[in-house]
Amino acid sequence: MQRIAFVTGGNGGIGTVVTERLLRDDFLVLFTYNKNDPDPAEILRRYPSSRAYHCNLLDRDEVDHLAKDVIEQYSKVDVLVNNAGVMLDQIFIKMNRDQWDYVIDVNLKSIFSFSHAFLPSMIKQNYGRIINISSITGLKGFHGKANYSASKAGIIGFTRALAVEVAPKGITVNAVTPGMIDTKMIKHIPEKYMASILNQIPVHRLGRPGEVASLVAFLAGEDSSYITGEAISVSGGY
């Protein structure tokens, strides 16, 4: 039977590449996007079996309603990739509460609803994969990223705690912590700072979204059944 994967933020940056990789691996992929993401029509044209859902992850009612609809229609989700994330950088002394809440709500709180909604079907079938996209900033401090770092570190803590709870049910929970990946999220970094960052990366280059997607695809498969509660970096040794 074909496995069903659900990817949040599945049409933009790393999310697009993860979605396409899982589709190539013969998953039925359901993914969310928002108004700031590209039109998902191209993915849907190339992969007609996939399904895109517009979803505002700040709207808890909308998130809960979508999760309920997915379970009602498909009865289960085998693989959940909590990928959606935002950045709103500011040095902490100038950061206001709205900037803090916005990043925490999208990056950290949104994973509660989807994980909570899809876990019962995983438990029922004694099989499931939850993959949470964190960041190297959850492990390493960066200037102006107190809100982002807190959200991504929180994801790692959530991953490790949930993994312990559901391991006896054949469900693995892991985090992927990308480093400096060549996506639009890093385009705002001034060239002089980027040069300094590249000097700190042992492989001396940015990562490719496909390299993150390859790890996600492995963790989504059956060969990863003995890996759980881990935060695995894709960072070139950063």
Side-chain angles (χ1 to χ4, degrees):
M1 182 179 295
Q2 187 178 33
R3 298 289 192 190
I4 298 174
F6 188 95
V7 182
T8 67
N11 191 42
I14 290 173
T16 299
V17 183
V18 168
T19 295
E20 292 179 339
R21 173 59 190 267
L22 293 176
L23 284 163
R24 292 196 302 272
D25 287 354
D26 201 34
F27 284 89
L28 170 59
V29 180
L30 320 174
F31 64 93
T32 71
Y33 69 100
N34 66 35
K35 64 182 181 180
N36 297 319
D37 292 330
D39 191 316
E42 177 59 23
I43 292 179
L44 297 174
R45 183 190 66 79
R46 287 187 287 116
Y47 301 96
S49 65
S50 62
R51 179 82 184 272
Y53 300 89
H54 182 274
C55 186
N56 176 9
L57 296 184
L58 292 173
D59 187 330
R60 294 185 183 180
D61 289 338
E62 186 174 343
V63 169
D64 290 343
H65 183 71
L66 171 56
K68 182 179 178 182
D69 284 351
V70 166
I71 291 299
E72 286 181 352
Q73 182 171 357
Y74 295 97
S75 77
K76 65 169 185 172
V77 166
D78 300 292
V79 175
L80 170 62
V81 183
N82 287 306
N83 167 74
V86 295
M87 285 195 303
L88 195 59
D89 292 355
Q90 179 63 273
I91 61 171
F92 184 72
I93 197 67
K94 294 183 178 181
M95 185 179 294
N96 61 47
R97 186 160 300 204
D98 287 341
Q99 292 170 319
W100 175 270
D101 287 345
Y102 173 64
V103 173
I104 296 295
D105 285 350
V106 173
N107 294 2
L108 181 57
K109 289 185 179 180
S110 69
I111 71 177
F112 172 87
S113 294
F114 289 118
S115 300
H116 202 261
F118 298 149
L119 258 176
S121 68
M122 296 180 181
I123 292 171
K124 184 177 180 180
Q125 66 181 0
N126 285 297
Y127 180 89
R129 302 284 184 264
I130 297 177
I131 303 158
N132 301 314
I133 306 301
S134 179
S135 169
I136 194 73
T137 60
L139 303 170
K140 176 181 172 70
F142 285 85
H143 181 83
K145 291 185 178 294
N147 50 2
Y148 190 75
S149 294
S151 70
K152 294 301 185 177
I155 288 172
I156 294 172
F158 169 81
T159 296
R160 289 175 170 156
L162 183 59
V164 173
E165 293 185 20
V166 299
K169 297 297 184 179
I171 301 165
T172 65
V173 188
N174 291 289
V176 175
T177 61
M180 299 301 293
I181 306 300
D182 191 8
T183 67
K184 66 179 182 180
M185 289 190 81
I186 67 167
K187 298 301 184 185
H188 68 285
I189 300 177
E191 187 175 339
K192 63 179 180 180
Y193 293 125
M194 181 57 71
S196 174
I197 290 170
L198 289 173
N199 283 335
Q200 299 176 58
I201 300 174
V203 301
H204 297 301
R205 67 169 175 85
L206 298 176
R208 294 182 286 270
E211 292 171 313
V212 179
S214 292
L215 176 57
V216 172
F218 173 70
L219 293 174
E222 299 192 14
D223 289 343
S224 63
S225 61
Y226 203 59
I227 301 172
T228 195
E230 298 295 341
I232 306 172
S233 290
V234 184
S235 66
Y238 192 22

